[in-house]
Each structure stands twice: as structure tokens, then as C-alpha cells.
Amino acid sequence: MTIEIGPVAGLSEPVTFDLEQLTKVIRLLGQARARMVEGIQKQPLDGKTVETILKPTWHIQVAHIDGSLLAFDHPLYGPVAFAIPRDEVARIVNVLSKHLELPASQPENPS
């Protein structure tokens, strides 16, 4: 895969990556972003538009913390995992259980 990288205003240069190299660049960019947002208060996601993936490959297991590990294979970012504490797992289960009580429907676009 070849992408062009350069300054916001100015010339860019094509750079070619294989899958492993591109995955490493994505991870490094994610780590850089994480450092940039350190100390910035996290905003709630309610009402925000987020990148939505339909039917991702996923895995769940008991985590090494008192909680669960939930992993997804995101087509844009590769495998991502979340260690979720037990109290948050309980909240998620509660919300999902309420969803299952609703009549089944097939929305055109997931939210």
C-alpha cells in the first residue's frame, strides 16, 4: 500500500508499506495520540458520531483484572482490546439485556 505523507501545506512524498509495517505505523500513531491527550478530560460519547463497524470479529474472556477483556478486530486499526472492570461489565450486561427485551428490528444504519 502506498500513501503520501507530508506537511499540511506543501509537497508530500509517497511511502510504501506492507501490512506489518502499516500496522506498526498505526500503533505508533495511536501511542503518539494517547500522549497528546494525556491530561485532557475525556468527554462522554453520548450523542457523538463514531466510526461504526458492522459485525466485527470479537472475543471476550475473563481479564487478569476483576473484570472482562473484550477484543475486536477493527478493519481500520487491527485488533483492539479493552480490559473492563467488573462494575462496568455489570452496566454493559444490564444495557444489553434491556436491548434484548426490545422487539427485534433491522436498522438500516447502525448508530
Side-chain angles (χ1 to χ4, degrees):
M1 173 66 62
T2 300
I3 60 175
E4 293 210 12
I5 299 176
V8 174
L11 299 175
S12 60
E13 289 291 323
V15 181
T16 302
F17 298 102
D18 65 22
L19 180 59
E20 186 178 330
Q21 291 167 326
L22 184 59
T23 299
K24 184 175 182 179
V25 168
I26 291 169
R27 184 175 56 252
L28 291 170
L29 289 171
Q31 291 169 350
R33 185 185 186 285
R35 286 191 301 275
M36 292 174 79
V37 298
E38 280 180 8
I40 297 175
Q41 185 176 7
K42 293 181 182 178
Q43 300 297 313
L45 291 176
D46 293 346
K48 297 221 173 163
T49 301
V50 295
E51 184 75 32
T52 303
I53 306 305
L54 185 61
K55 295 186 177 184
T57 302
W58 59 274
H59 173 77
I60 192 166
Q61 69 184 48
V62 173
H64 293 291
I65 61 167
D66 185 21
S68 299
L69 180 127
L70 180 58
F72 295 95
D73 190 1
H74 195 289
L76 299 180
Y77 311 113
V80 293
F82 306 90
I84 305 170
R86 180 182 283 268
D87 61 329
E88 293 293 315
V89 171
R91 284 185 51 211
I92 292 168
V93 168
N94 185 36
V95 170
L96 293 177
S97 295
K98 288 180 180 176
H99 286 181
L100 289 175
E101 293 172 3
L102 298 173
S105 66
Q106 295 293 329
E108 288 185 26
N109 295 313
S111 54

